[in-house]
Amino acid sequence: DELFSTTSIVLSLLIALLELGAERRSGSDESFFKSIFPSLHVLSENKSLKLAMVPELAEMASHAMALIAARGETTSTDEAKKMPSATMVGRIIEKLSEAEHDLSSSQPPLRAKGVVSLRHIARSLVNDEHGSINRDSSRLDLPSDKIERKAVITVMHESSAAPKTLSTKEELSLVQSKVPLISRTLARVCLNALADPESYVYLASIQTLVAISDVCPSEIMPLMGAAIAQGNLDIIVATSDSAVTSANLSLTPEQRIKATEALIFMIRRRGEGIFMYGPSLLDIMLFGTSRDRDGRDSKLCDEESYIQSQTHSYFMGDRNIEAEDNSSDEQKIRLNTGGPVFSTEEIDVLRAGAISVVCELVSVLDPVTVASYCHILVGLATDALQLEVSRPVLRVAACLAQELYACAMREATTQSGVNKECTSTMTVAIEIVTANEEGLYNALKRCASTDELAINDKSRVDPATQSRSAEAIGIRLELEAMGVLQAAAVIAQSLKQELEDPNVQAVRRALSKSAVNQS
């Protein structure tokens, strides 16, 4: 925690230096900024550790990368300036227009500058402690330094009459009313920017999407889920042609994978506050995707054999698996790394990404909410571990099993449930047992075994799946040692007998009718 806090302070100072300091510095200073690019890149991609500060650090690191890349860059039309808009909405619109124009540039630094502008717009829309829109004069109130061009969105006047001068309160109210529309338009621009080949551009776009979700989560969270699940959808945005219009958003599998990363960061950033959108996101991730997978042929089998061989070399080198040192540090490294991802696995990575979102939701949602999905989740994890040949899907299926057991452990050990009855503190455990937990456990044991994962050559395994399966088994054994699973099995059997007993059902119906009559 101390290291993360120190890193956060350093990144905050770096961003302040880049945004508020001199636009141009000496050659040695600029070279220093470029030299820290690799370190910032690592921080911006850090998704493996489930710590509270990781999303914050990733956001700051990606923003710093974009600021460094955009230093000193201006468009070739600086001398052609237009008068700034007289309204706050107009200034936001001008900035958005400039940002989209920069993102269409062939120069990566200018595209990075466009993402930085989008981040500034998103931050300017966040409510302050008094419930007012945050007006950042250093970012939005300055005159535009770009050439006049067709705007992305324009001020929506009801008539052609000259607009009247608005008071500050009226202006803020107008901006607040446009926040959902502006947020959707910002999200559309950022989702399209995920296709950028430069890592510091698309990483900054990912974190900008996270910032936009802070502004209007009721719009952005469902939009992100739909974009990942469908890849092609129509959204209502503002344009220069009319007040609002429907724009088609078509994302490639690569963009959808990056959007998955953004959604995972959003979930981690909101923590337990995700409960408002948890069930709907679970439904979208579980039922909104189609199995976009071609038939298997001999060429695909050859590719899988090559993938398995290369992954084995990546993890194991020239060592024999039997002589491997199974130390905890090495196992943790394997757990947190997935090895190389090949282009032929792109669809599999997308499917795994959807399950990763489910894992994140299970880790933060209330156990009562998770319990209602346990039959589906246990079945998904078990079927994937038993039937899938895709490495990314196998790995995330093991993670899903781990999160399910961890949710049951969290519910059983929470202090808030000390004085509750046994059944109320084992809802997830009861549902897991009812959903054939024994089958899931057997599947995990097979995946944790070297022999079960070997393909043609028993020395070639997927250590990431092995380690994650072993982690899930470890939590399961702890639950068993605590007696949670045994008690859940007894309760589940008792509930099943009650459901099958006609006398019990008759009494329940009578009590229900009596309660209705009394009310």
Side-chain angles (χ1 to χ4, degrees), residues 26-76:
S26 64
S28 59
D29 289 345
E30 295 295 337
S31 298
F32 169 75
F33 289 144
K34 298 290 185 181
S35 68
I36 61 177
F37 234 81
S39 300
L40 294 173
H41 194 282
V42 171
L43 288 172
S44 64
E45 287 190 319
N46 192 353
K47 306 181 293 298
S48 59
L49 297 177
K50 294 189 177 182
L51 298 177
M53 293 191 64
V54 169
E56 178 185 347
L57 295 181
E59 179 184 3
M60 290 192 292
S62 64
H63 188 44
M65 288 173 61
L67 288 171
I68 293 172
R71 282 185 65 78
E73 293 296 332
T74 57
T75 59
S76 59

Side-chain angles (χ1 to χ4, degrees), residues 174-225:
L174 176 62
V175 174
Q176 186 68 59
S177 67
K178 304 298 182 185
V179 163
L181 190 62
I182 296 175
S183 297
R184 287 196 300 271
T185 310
L186 280 169
R188 179 183 65 84
V189 176
C190 287
L191 285 168
N192 288 330
L194 295 179
D196 198 288
E198 294 293 338
S199 62
Y200 55 81
V201 176
Y202 70 71
L203 287 173
S205 298
I206 288 173
Q207 297 303 328
T208 301
L209 284 168
V210 178
I212 297 170
S213 72
D214 293 342
V215 176
C216 195
S218 61
E219 293 285 341
I220 303 305
M221 299 293 289
L223 173 62
M224 293 296 294

Side-chain angles (χ1 to χ4, degrees), residues 308-326 330 334 450 459-464 466:
Q308 184 70 21
S309 174
Q310 292 299 310
T311 303
H312 168 71
S313 300
Y314 174 85
F315 279 112
M316 309 306 299
D318 298 328
R319 296 178 301 167
N320 190 304
I321 186 87
E322 296 179 356
E324 174 189 347
D325 178 15
N326 290 321
E330 183 172 357
R334 290 182 176 185
T450 300
S459 67
R460 292 178 179 174
V461 298
D462 183 20
Q466 266 191 299

Side-chain angles (χ1 to χ4, degrees), residues 147-381:
I147 187 172
E148 184 172 5
R149 61 178 73 90
K150 185 177 180 180
V152 178
I153 57 177
T154 59
V155 183
M156 299 117 193
H157 298 299
E158 298 296 333
S159 64
S160 58
K164 66 177 183 178
T165 303
L166 300 176
S167 66
T168 302
K169 186 175 181 180
E170 291 174 329
E171 192 175 25
L172 292 175
S173 177
L174 176 62
V175 174
Q176 186 68 59
S177 67
K178 304 298 182 185
V179 163
L181 190 62
I182 296 175
S183 297
R184 287 196 300 271
T185 310
L186 280 169
R188 179 183 65 84
V189 176
C190 287
L191 285 168
N192 288 330
L194 295 179
D196 198 288
E198 294 293 338
S199 62
Y200 55 81
V201 176
Y202 70 71
L203 287 173
S205 298
I206 288 173
Q207 297 303 328
T208 301
L209 284 168
V210 178
I212 297 170
S213 72
D214 293 342
V215 176
C216 195
S218 61
E219 293 285 341
I220 303 305
M221 299 293 289
L223 173 62
M224 293 296 294
I228 294 168
Q230 301 174 23
N232 192 307
L233 67 157
D234 295 327
I235 59 175
I236 302 300
V237 296
T239 68
S240 59
D241 300 325
S242 59
V244 292
T245 189
S246 178
N248 180 261
L249 182 64
S250 181
L251 304 179
T252 64
E254 182 182 4
Q255 286 173 286
R256 292 164 70 186
I257 292 169
K258 294 172 182 176
T260 301
E261 296 182 20
L263 183 55
I264 290 175
F265 275 119
M266 293 176 191
I267 295 170
R268 292 184 182 178
R269 188 176 181 89
R270 304 194 77 79
E272 295 181 357
I274 198 66
F275 75 92
M276 293 183 62
Y277 316 101
S280 62
L281 286 175
L282 279 173
D283 289 337
I284 291 174
M285 293 298 107
L286 292 171
F287 310 115
T289 56
S290 59
R291 188 176 175 83
D292 186 9
R293 191 176 174 90
D294 297 328
R296 297 171 57 80
D297 52 24
S298 59
K299 181 180 178 181
L300 183 58
C301 293
D302 292 339
E303 289 176 350
E304 288 177 351
S305 177
Y306 173 77
I307 288 172
Q308 184 70 21
S309 174
Q310 292 299 310
T311 303
H312 168 71
S313 300
Y314 174 85
F315 279 112
M316 309 306 299
D318 298 328
R319 296 178 301 167
N320 190 304
I321 186 87
E322 296 179 356
E324 174 189 347
D325 178 15
N326 290 321
S327 65
S328 59
D329 289 341
E330 183 172 357
Q331 190 168 14
K332 184 176 180 180
I333 292 174
R334 290 182 176 185
L335 177 64
N336 292 332
T337 60
V341 176
F342 297 83
S343 58
T344 55
E345 296 181 295
E346 189 172 58
I347 298 299
D348 292 332
V349 173
L350 177 57
R351 293 168 53 222
I355 304 177
S356 296
V357 174
V358 173
C359 291
E360 291 296 329
L361 290 169
V362 171
S363 69
V364 296
L365 285 175
D366 187 89
V368 175
T369 302
V370 176
S372 62
Y373 289 87
C374 274
H375 279 71
I376 298 170
L377 298 177
V378 171
L380 171 61

Side-chain angles (χ1 to χ4, degrees), residues 7-111:
T7 305
S8 176
I9 294 172
V10 172
L11 287 175
S12 299
L13 293 174
L14 175 61
I15 291 174
L17 183 65
L18 293 170
E19 288 193 333
L20 305 178
E23 293 185 0
R24 294 181 182 275
R25 294 180 179 271
S26 64
S28 59
D29 289 345
E30 295 295 337
S31 298
F32 169 75
F33 289 144
K34 298 290 185 181
S35 68
I36 61 177
F37 234 81
S39 300
L40 294 173
H41 194 282
V42 171
L43 288 172
S44 64
E45 287 190 319
N46 192 353
K47 306 181 293 298
S48 59
L49 297 177
K50 294 189 177 182
L51 298 177
M53 293 191 64
V54 169
E56 178 185 347
L57 295 181
E59 179 184 3
M60 290 192 292
S62 64
H63 188 44
M65 288 173 61
L67 288 171
I68 293 172
R71 282 185 65 78
E73 293 296 332
T74 57
T75 59
S76 59
T77 55
D78 282 344
E79 59 277 0
K81 298 180 179 179
K82 66 175 184 177
M83 292 297 294
S85 174
T87 66
M88 189 185 223
V89 172
R91 290 190 290 275
I92 294 174
I93 292 167
E94 290 171 1
K95 273 294 195 182
L96 183 52
S97 174
E98 295 165 8
E100 189 168 37
H101 183 270
D102 289 339
L103 284 168
S104 65
S105 172
S106 60
Q107 303 177 42
L110 281 179
R111 299 201 298 272

